């Protein structure tokens, strides 16, 4: 479940929710219900799609929205700009750095908000795991692979995270 304690004290505050929605596999109604219960000022979705984005947009009338590939933002406050990252070169192939930035005018002033979703290490581990650890050990296949899939996956994730960190180090505004 999502949510948590609301900020205590006086002064401006901002409630941010980030959620990997797994392409809506939990069901649109459940995703929207969870987001609504959290009462966020800014919603950042990863691994989203048009159906999820549209359902969230309907649930939050008056919010500003932006959709780009797998990323979506819904903000109670105006989105002043979009920060599109440069693609990264991975062994001669242009790859997505798997993040996007937004400049939001909030009660705290202008903020640069990063929506990130680096590639999961799961794909590399799944190749090693094959038909299951026991089978791979008993058959000897686990020792036959060279691990190149895991190495390539790790290298791509490292480059993505370095790109995110580099962008976050050069902000115009405070970063979330």
């Amino acid at each position: 479940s999502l949510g948590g304690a609301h900020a205590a004290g006086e002064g401006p505050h901002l409630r941010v929710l980030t959620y990997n929605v797994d392409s809506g596999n939990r069901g649109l109604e459940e995703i929207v219900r969870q987001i609504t219960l959290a009462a966020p000022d800014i919603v950042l979705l990863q691994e989203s799609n048009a159906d999820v984005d549209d359902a969230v947009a309907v649930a939050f009338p008056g919010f500003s929205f932006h959709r780009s590939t797998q990323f979506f933002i819904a903000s109670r406050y105006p989105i002043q700009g979009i920060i599109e990252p440069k693609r990264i070169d991975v062994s001669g192939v242009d790859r997505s750095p798997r993040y996007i930035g937004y400049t939001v005018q909030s009660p705290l002033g202008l903020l640069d908000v990063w929506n990130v979703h680096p590639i999961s290490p799961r794909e590399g581990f799944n190749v090693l795991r094959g038909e299951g650890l026991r089978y791979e050990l008993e058959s000897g296949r686990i020792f036959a692979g060279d691990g190149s899939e895991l190495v390539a996956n790790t290298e791509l994730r490292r480059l993505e995270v370095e790109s995110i960190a580099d962008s976050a180090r050069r902000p115009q505004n405070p970063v979330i």
Side-chain angles (χ1 to χ4, degrees), residues 41-97:
D41 297 309
I42 297 175
V43 177
L44 301 168
L45 303 182
Q46 306 85 40
E47 205 174 312
S48 194
N49 61 36
D51 291 338
V52 175
D53 301 346
D54 292 345
V56 172
V58 167
F60 289 88
F63 275 46
S64 298
F65 307 101
H66 185 268
R67 163 187 318 166
S68 176
T69 64
Q70 66 162 311
F71 298 106
F72 179 77
I73 182 175
S75 174
R76 178 182 312 279
Y77 308 108
I79 301 167
Q80 300 290 334
I82 307 301
I83 305 161
E84 291 278 354
K86 295 183 301 185
R87 296 188 66 80
I88 53 177
D89 181 293
V90 180
S91 303
V93 177
D94 274 350
R95 299 290 303 260
S96 168

Side-chain angles (χ1 to χ4, degrees), residues 6 19-20 31-32 35 40 42 67 88 92 99 102 112 129 133 137 161 163 166:
H6 288 273
Y19 191 176
N20 178 332
I31 291 169
V32 169
I35 294 170
I42 297 175
R67 163 187 318 166
I88 53 177
Y99 71 97
Y102 317 94
D112 288 340
R129 187 176 59 214
L133 183 59
L137 284 170
V161 171
S163 179
D166 184 50

Side-chain angles (χ1 to χ4, degrees), residues 88 97 118 156-166 169:
I88 53 177
L156 175 56
R157 193 171 56 260
R158 182 185 65 78
L159 291 169
E160 290 169 349
V161 171
E162 283 178 359
S163 179
I164 294 164
D166 184 50
R169 276 199 260 342

Side-chain angles (χ1 to χ4, degrees), residues 126-136 141:
N126 284 345
V127 169
L128 286 180
R129 187 176 59 214
E131 300 296 320
L133 183 59
R134 182 178 182 157
Y135 174 82
E136 296 298 314
R141 279 189 6 175

